[in-house]
Amino acid sequence: MLNRTDLKSKLLSFLGSYSHVLLIAILAGLMVVIPGEALALTNGQEGGGNYVIIGTLVDQQGIPVVDVSVKVLSIDGTELLGETESQEDGTWRLALIQLPAGELQIKIEHPRYIPQTLNLSVHDLDNLNEVGLHRLGETTLDWEINAGFWAATLIFLGVILLIAFEKLHSTTAALTGFSALFLVSYVGGAFNPNFFIFSFERGLSYINWEVIFLIMGMMIIVAIIEATGIFQWTAFQAYRLSSGRNWLLVIILIAITAVASALLDNFTTMLLMVPISLQIGLALGINPLVLIIPEVLASNVGGISTLVGTPTNILIGAYANISFTDFLVNQTVGVIVALVGLTGFILFYYRKEFMKKSSTISPSLYKKLEENARLEDSQSLWKAGIVFAFVLVGFILGESVHLAPAVPAMIGATVLLIWLKPDVHQMIIAVDWTTLVFFMSLFVVVGAVQEVGLLGLVASEMASMIGDNLPLGIFMIVFGVGAISTVIANIPLTAAMLPIVDFLTMTIPGAHSKVLYYALSMGAAMGGNGTLIGGEANLVTAGITNQTNTPITFKGFLKVGLPVTFITLCIGFIWLLIRF
Amino acid sequence: MTAKILCLTRGGESSYPNQDGAIAIAKDLDEELLFLYISSVQFLDYSAAPKVVDIESELDEMGEFLLVMAQERARKAGVVADILVRRGNFLEVLKDVVQEYPIETVILGSSTGDTGVITEEFTSEITEEISREYDVEFIILKDGNIQKTFKIDSDWEDCQ
């Protein structure tokens, strides 16, 4: 057997004997590689070279621009000396083997930006010749309002209108926009490059997967918790506790709805609360709408205080890296005060109805109500409660290790599936895939208007109006978004506002606290209370009450919703001024 | 169930007058009454919000409760009433129920402005279609009073 020393000496002797062969092999390898490299360099591809020119390309918002063509030409523009494309971070690098005599021209081109030509003077070239590196620094590209810009803008507005007027299912509307974008980009772009908006890969890069998985995880958790009947049971307990005092009943229901919508989402909360509240209202002989309208208003406000309370908060949290605790700490007090304001208005507005003496419920009706509000499976409720509590802890602790909230949500969903062993098929059905497809398509559609510079132009305009005045910025976001949310679905609005708010956060002094994102959260959610079509929760509530011949009319909702929106937006604005 | 009179209701406060009208008709004819509630989740069709809740079951339970209320009203008036909750398309469900039970009379509430789920035109169409197929009489109530009746061999009869 050979020992270690023997092996070493044999290896050295082998290398000694065949060193010339090895040397030849290495040289041969280099010969294969170097011509390739040299060819690349003579073609101007990035890589090693004697003279390197580097730079960064950003748009008017300071966001790096990718896939921009950068060409180095002779000063008369006739000879191409090298070319490259900008990277994800907007940087580009060109390595030249030789420098021409005289000056150089650098052409920067992209279908969505106004082309730019930069000249490298003799002095710059002398410097490059001496040091071997020339930094061009940051070049700002101006958006070009071309066919692609208008196509993306029209598609975006088309999607918003289709959703607002319910001409198509929201998911179909968003998918239509998604398809139209790529049709314009690839078919239109083939005839006229100005129509090109973005590549398929680039479009997909706008999808925020953190949002998709967080929503998916929460759907499974909520589906399991919902099946236990806890929310209906709680509403029934509210009825029992109030013992015929309608004003007290509505206060308890507002509180329950606000808390529930902070933990679930407001749409789901209303799906659970409306049927049981209708039953309670009718059984008591009062107009059920005096219970239900305050509930839906509270659900839109209550959801603001947590990351998972509204889909808009999920979008904002994922985009701006705002954690569960951040939302809780920075919004909860404002939300509670807003809820107090809301309750005060409701008690005043419906005072006559609340002063009415409610009917005595018959034993058979009471029995039926109790039956409909029973806890389905207390064992599952405990287990689901424990897991949900751990998910919340995961949200809070996860942020210290930069764990995306989607991770605890997905882990919690998986644990529940393993522990409770529900019908997995049912649970997979419980995941509302249309919602996920809606979000994915919407991200791409909003990405397109960001890509062509529409959102950037809006942001620049807003920035010039606001200047350095942060309170004005907060005011404009809270009330501006609030006003638009009364008529436009707040999810696409929020998704479109995020890049704008991001720009304003970077440019307005003091906005780095992310206060404008909180303003967006409040505006989008509270504004949804303004009209019946302002929020998904409002529409589903009206849908359910209509099933019982107790319709919520547009005018009827407006009378209550608009003042509540104004009151809560004022409170939210004042709270943000105080907090930040 | 042996009820021969079927009353479709959505059960809210606005439906009480027509429920009372149906109860009065059943009392006059000395027949049992069957209250039917049809739930539909069509209103969710345009929403992209996550529908993780078994809303159909929630609506069924709500419908059942509303029918129990109607049943109590009938009992107080001395009429025996049964209840039935079904899901789905209004016309299809109505046809199924008429076929499954020995129904001779169907009572519908007339469309009243914004609250009506079916238009007058639609009411005329379905009543004529079902009457022709299953030989049942239709009574249309408005505010608890008979507005018109329809039977295949006697056509529409205006009662106001």
Side-chain angles (χ1 to χ4, degrees):
Chain A
M1 251 180 114
L2 290 171
N3 60 30
R4 190 182 258 188
T5 320
D6 291 338
L7 262 175
K8 195 177 170 184
S9 62
K10 274 185 181 293
L11 184 64
L12 286 171
S13 106
F14 172 83
L15 288 173
S17 315
Y18 295 96
S19 58
H20 59 290
V21 180
L22 279 170
L23 191 63
I24 291 166
I26 290 166
L27 284 172
L30 283 172
M31 283 170 76
V32 170
V33 173
I34 287 170
E37 183 75 358
L39 186 68
L41 294 175
T42 50
N43 282 338
Q45 298 300 317
E46 58 185 276
N50 298 331
Y51 309 103
V52 177
I53 308 169
I54 56 172
T56 308
L57 299 171
V58 293
D59 63 17
Q60 286 156 279
Q61 281 186 277
I63 296 168
V65 185
V66 68
D67 293 340
V68 179
S69 157
V70 181
K71 289 177 183 165
V72 178
L73 303 155
S74 56
I75 193 65
D76 59 0
T78 52
E79 193 187 345
L80 177 68
L81 302 170
E83 64 177 319
T84 188
E85 280 190 349
S86 61
Q87 306 300 304
E88 283 291 329
D89 58 358
T91 58
W92 58 271
R93 180 181 185 276
L94 263 167
L96 304 170
I97 295 282
Q98 279 184 327
L99 287 178
E103 295 177 351
L104 271 183
Q105 208 181 66
I106 297 175
K107 273 202 161 180
I108 299 168
E109 291 175 319
H110 191 283
R112 290 188 317 278
Y113 297 92
I114 296 169
Q116 284 202 31
T117 305
L118 308 171
N119 288 342
L120 251 63
S121 65
V122 176
H123 173 74
D124 292 333
L125 289 177
D126 285 346
N127 190 36
L128 177 60
N129 199 12
E130 209 173 291
V131 186
L133 177 73
H134 184 75
R135 291 174 201 274
L136 261 177
E138 202 172 82
T139 307
T140 304
L141 301 176
D142 292 333
W143 288 295
E144 185 160 38
I145 313 286
N146 58 15
F149 174 91
W150 290 115
T153 305
L154 288 175
I155 290 169
F156 173 72
L157 291 175
V159 170
I160 296 276
L161 291 176
L162 284 172
I163 293 172
F165 291 104
E166 294 193 343
K167 290 293 171 195
L168 285 178
H169 185 285
S170 300
T171 305
T172 317
L175 262 177
T176 306
F178 175 93
S179 305
L181 282 173
F182 291 112
L183 202 70
V184 169
S185 279
Y186 286 107
V187 179
F191 294 102
N192 178 354
N194 282 340
F195 272 111
F196 186 80
I197 298 164
F198 51 24
S199 67
F200 185 65
E201 292 74 21
R202 178 76 180 151
L204 293 193
S205 72
Y206 280 100
I207 298 175
N208 191 328
W209 292 104
E210 199 182 315
V211 170
I212 303 297
F213 279 98
L214 178 55
I215 294 174
M216 191 196 290
M218 289 306 293
M219 278 181 190
I220 297 174
I221 293 172
V222 170
I224 293 173
I225 294 177
E226 176 271 323
T228 63
I230 178 71
F231 299 101
Q232 296 87 331
W233 179 83
T234 317
F236 180 68
Q237 297 314 311
Y239 155 71
R240 285 181 57 184
L241 261 172
S242 63
S243 343
R245 285 163 293 181
N246 298 334
W247 59 270
L248 181 59
L249 175 64
V250 82
I251 291 174
I252 300 173
L253 287 177
I254 284 175
I256 291 171
T257 314
V259 172
S261 69
L263 298 173
L264 316 176
D265 66 275
N266 43 357
F267 183 85
T268 305
T269 304
M270 290 318 291
L271 279 181
L272 294 166
M273 292 298 287
V274 177
I276 192 75
S277 304
L278 256 163
Q279 293 169 53
I280 292 172
L282 287 172
L284 287 174
I286 57 170
N287 181 356
L289 298 186
V290 306
L291 303 177
I292 289 165
I293 291 179
E295 279 177 2
V296 71
L297 299 173
S299 82
N300 285 329
V301 175
I304 301 170
S305 55
T306 67
L307 173 73
V308 294
T310 62
T312 50
N313 272 13
I314 292 180
L315 288 175
I316 295 168
Y319 187 90
N321 204 15
I322 297 177
S323 67
F324 188 86
T325 317
D326 290 338
F327 272 112
L328 212 60
V329 170
N330 294 315
Q331 308 260 72
T332 305
V333 176
V335 166
I336 291 171
V337 179
L339 284 168
V340 170
L342 181 155
T343 310
F345 177 79
I346 290 296
L347 290 176
F348 170 77
Y349 188 83
Y350 290 122
R351 60 191 181 282
K352 282 180 191 160
E353 199 73 29
F354 292 137
M355 297 311 283
K356 256 193 201 170
K357 194 171 158 45
S358 48
S359 326
T360 316
I361 190 165
S362 72
S364 61
L365 277 181
Y366 185 87
K367 200 178 154 210
K368 186 74 197 152
L369 197 60
E370 195 175 29
E371 194 187 311
N372 287 352
R374 71 191 174 277
L375 285 175
E376 297 286 339
D377 183 352
S378 53
Q379 196 70 17
S380 294
L381 177 64
W382 277 112
K383 289 178 181 174
I386 290 168
V387 173
F388 191 57
F390 272 106
V391 170
L392 293 181
V393 171
F395 286 157
I396 294 164
L397 298 181
E399 65 206 55
S400 56
V401 288
H402 303 291
L403 187 70
V407 178
M410 286 305 291
I411 293 173
T414 313
V415 168
L416 278 177
L417 289 176
I418 295 169
W419 197 12
L420 290 179
K421 294 187 180 65
D423 183 340
V424 177
H425 183 66
Q426 284 300 320
M427 286 302 109
I428 297 301
I429 291 173
V431 174
D432 196 337
W433 300 99
T434 55
T435 304
L436 300 181
V437 174
F438 167 72
F439 272 97
M440 285 189 259
S441 309
L442 185 71
F443 281 132
V444 176
V445 173
V446 174
V449 280
Q450 189 178 347
E451 188 85 5
V452 297
L454 173 70
L455 300 183
L457 289 173
V458 174
S460 302
E461 281 301 311
M462 281 186 75
S464 62
M465 282 165 72
I466 295 165
D468 290 348
N469 192 340
L470 183 59
L472 177 64
I474 300 171
F475 178 86
M476 279 182 70
I477 300 285
V478 169
F479 285 94
V481 171
I484 301 170
S485 284
T486 57
V487 283
I488 283 181
N490 55 12
I491 296 173
L493 176 67
T494 304
M497 280 301 293
L498 285 171
I500 297 171
V501 170
D502 187 44
F503 178 64
L504 297 175
T505 299
M506 286 190 295
T507 52
I508 301 174
H512 60 272
S513 58
K514 298 183 180 174
V515 57
L516 296 178
Y517 287 106
Y518 296 115
L520 175 62
S521 160
M522 286 199 174
M526 289 170 174
N529 275 336
T531 65
L532 189 58
I533 58 166
E536 296 271 18
N538 311 356
L539 289 170
V540 74
T541 301
I544 298 174
T545 59
N546 220 22
Q547 297 273 308
T548 65
N549 216 357
T550 317
I552 301 176
T553 60
F554 189 87
K555 201 174 152 191
F557 190 90
L558 196 76
K559 278 183 184 171
V560 194
L562 217 51
V564 164
T565 302
F566 183 71
I567 291 167
T568 52
L569 283 176
C570 287
I571 292 171
F573 172 63
I574 293 167
W575 163 247
L576 290 178
L577 286 183
I578 295 168
R579 180 77 183 95
F580 295 94
Chain B
M1 283 184 227
T2 53
K4 289 177 182 167
I5 303 172
L6 174 70
C7 174
L8 271 88
T9 183
R10 284 187 289 152
E13 221 174 336
S14 316
S15 303
Y16 293 169
N18 287 341
Q19 285 179 4
D20 291 340
I23 291 166
I25 292 168
K27 197 169 185 175
D28 285 349
L29 297 172
D30 196 23
E31 290 285 356
E32 281 183 30
L33 188 59
L34 175 62
F35 282 113
L36 170 65
Y37 177 89
I38 304 172
S39 70
S40 162
V41 287
Q42 240 184 338
F43 62 90
L44 292 174
D45 277 359
Y46 287 93
S47 170
K51 292 167 268 294
V52 294
V53 174
D54 182 5
I55 185 66
E56 286 184 323
S57 301
E58 294 295 330
L59 291 183
D60 286 354
E61 283 186 355
M62 183 180 76
E64 221 174 291
F65 181 83
L66 299 173
L67 294 187
V68 170
M69 287 184 81
Q71 199 177 27
E72 268 201 359
R73 300 167 79 82
R75 187 176 47 77
K76 279 179 190 162
V79 173
V80 178
D82 227 320
I83 60 171
L84 185 64
V85 176
R86 287 281 169 96
R87 293 176 187 175
N89 174 278
F90 184 85
L91 179 60
E92 298 302 319
V93 172
L94 189 53
K95 276 183 179 178
D96 288 346
V97 174
V98 169
Q99 205 174 4
E100 284 170 39
Y101 298 94
I103 302 297
E104 289 173 3
T105 308
V106 177
I107 301 174
L108 294 177
S110 173
S111 174
T112 48
D114 289 344
T115 67
V117 73
I118 48 172
T119 61
E120 221 160 289
E121 224 173 51
F122 181 67
T123 311
S124 305
E125 267 173 45
I126 61 160
T127 47
E128 284 175 31
E129 188 181 329
I130 294 175
S131 297
R132 209 168 290 127
E133 248 174 272
Y134 303 103
D135 189 27
V136 290
E137 182 188 16
F138 271 86
I139 298 176
I140 312 295
L141 299 178
K142 189 163 191 170
D143 301 326
N145 302 313
I146 298 175
Q147 191 186 23
K148 49 188 172 181
T149 60
F150 181 83
K151 204 163 168 54
I152 194 64
D153 47 3
S154 58
D155 213 341
W156 282 104
E157 204 171 292
D158 215 320
C159 304
Q160 283 188 332

